Amino acid sequence: MTAHIESKREDIAPIVLMPGDPLRAKYIAENFLDDYKKVNAVRNIFAYTGYYKGVRVTVFSSGMGIPSIGIYAYELYQFYDVKTIIRIGTCGTVHPNVNLLDVVLAKSAYSLNTFPLLFDGDTEKEYSSFEDLNEKIIRKAKDLNIPLKYGKIITSDVFDPYVDQEKFRSNFPDDEYLASEMEAFGLFYLAYKLKREATCLLTVVDSKYDKRSLSSEERETSLNDMIKLALETVINKN
C-alpha cells in the first residue's frame, strides 16, 4: 500500500493499461477482462486486475494531467514492480493528415512541463516511448487491420481546444506533431528514469479540421479498437 494506492503488491499485474478516466477503467474491466476484481478505489481512482485471454493484466486509471499520472506511474513502477505501462487515452489534433477517431501511437512526447526539473533537475523537453513495445503494437495493428498513425505528440498543461491554436503551437518546435494530450510526457520520463517500459495509444476526439459532434457509439467503437490493440499486444509480450 501507498498513500494513494490501497492495493496489495500481489493485486497488481506486471503489465498495466492506464486510461485517464476511472469509469473507462471500469468499462474495460467489464467488457474485456475475465475474473476481474477492483483493486483500488482511493480518491475514486479505480483499478481492476483480471485476465485477457489468460494473461493477467491490470487496468489502472491515472486521472488528468502529469501531476496525477506522475504519482500513480511512479508508485506502480517503484512499489508494485510494474514493468510496462501503456497509456490509453483520447487526444486532439491540429495535423491535417490525422482524422477524427484515428488511433495514434506516440513515438515521443514534447512538453514545457517542469515535472522532470522538479523531480531531479532534468531539463529535457522531449522523451521517447519504448521502441520495442511500439514495434509490437505496430505489428499487432497490422494483424488486426487497425490503421495506426505513429509519430511525435505534444503533452500540454492546458486543454488546447480552449485556447488560440496559433499561439499554442508557437510554443513548440516546428515539428509535425500528430496530436496533443496531457499525460504521456510524465509517463515516458518516469519510465526512462526508472528503466521501465511505457508507451501511449490515443484516439483522436478533437480536430481543428473536423468539427463534427461524435456520437457515443462512434467514440465507443474507436476506443474499443485502441483498447483491443493494447490488450492484444499485452498477451503477446508474455
Side-chain angles (χ1 to χ4, degrees):
M1 296 174 62
T2 70
H4 309 95
I5 301 174
E6 63 186 339
S7 314
K8 298 176 182 177
R9 187 168 180 175
E10 61 266 24
D11 289 337
I12 304 296
I15 300 173
V16 172
L17 269 57
M18 186 167 271
D21 184 354
L23 293 180
R24 191 167 298 142
K26 182 175 183 285
Y27 172 84
I28 294 168
E30 292 176 344
N31 290 275
F32 290 89
L33 300 185
D34 298 321
D35 299 325
Y36 67 87
K37 67 175 182 176
K38 184 185 284 186
V39 296
N40 191 71
V42 175
R43 297 173 183 255
N44 283 333
I45 292 292
F46 299 149
Y48 302 84
T49 296
Y51 293 85
Y52 180 76
K53 297 186 177 179
V55 175
R56 192 164 178 262
V57 60
T58 294
V59 183
F60 204 114
S61 51
S62 71
M64 288 191 290
I66 289 175
S68 188
I69 199 172
I71 288 171
Y72 294 108
Y74 179 84
E75 292 184 1
L76 289 170
Y77 282 142
Q78 194 77 340
F79 305 124
Y80 287 88
D81 203 28
V82 168
K83 304 300 183 187
T84 302
I85 297 177
I86 302 177
R87 166 164 152 68
I88 46 174
T90 56
C91 66
T93 186
V94 294
H95 195 290
N97 296 326
V98 179
N99 302 312
L100 279 179
L101 301 180
D102 278 353
V103 179
V104 173
L105 174 62
K107 182 177 183 179
S108 65
Y110 186 99
S111 182
L112 302 177
N113 188 276
T114 58
F115 183 83
L117 177 66
L118 296 174
F119 194 92
D120 74 345
D122 199 321
T123 58
E124 293 294 323
K125 297 299 183 185
E126 187 167 8
Y127 290 94
S128 297
S129 52
F130 194 77
E131 187 175 356
D132 288 352
L133 184 57
N134 290 340
E135 290 174 358
K136 291 180 174 69
I137 291 173
I138 291 167
R139 289 197 297 270
K140 182 53 62 176
K142 291 179 180 178
D143 292 343
L144 297 173
N145 198 29
I146 295 174
L148 192 66
K149 302 290 175 66
Y150 181 47
K152 298 180 178 182
I153 65 168
I154 290 169
T155 298
S156 174
D157 290 337
V158 300
F159 184 57
D160 60 273
Y162 290 168
V163 300
D164 183 280
Q165 287 293 325
E166 186 173 338
K167 290 180 180 178
F168 175 80
R169 285 305 298 267
S170 70
N171 292 293
F172 299 96
D174 190 21
D175 284 320
E176 295 243 329
Y177 295 101
L178 298 183
S180 59
E181 52 79 73
M182 302 182 75
E183 289 84 25
F185 176 80
L187 174 62
F188 295 173
Y189 167 73
L190 285 173
Y192 163 77
K193 191 70 182 176
L194 300 175
K195 295 180 171 51
R196 303 299 170 94
E197 297 183 2
T199 195
C200 177
L201 281 166
L202 301 164
T203 298
V204 179
V205 295
D206 293 293
S207 172
K208 173 184 176 181
Y209 300 98
D210 190 335
K211 298 302 182 183
R212 283 180 295 157
S213 179
L214 298 173
S215 70
S216 58
E217 182 179 356
E218 286 176 315
R219 287 175 182 258
E220 182 175 304
T221 299
S222 186
L223 288 169
N224 281 351
D225 284 346
M226 175 182 65
I227 294 163
K228 183 178 180 182
L229 176 55
L231 287 167
E232 288 291 330
T233 301
V234 161
I235 66 172
N236 283 282
K237 275 186 60 63
N238 288 4

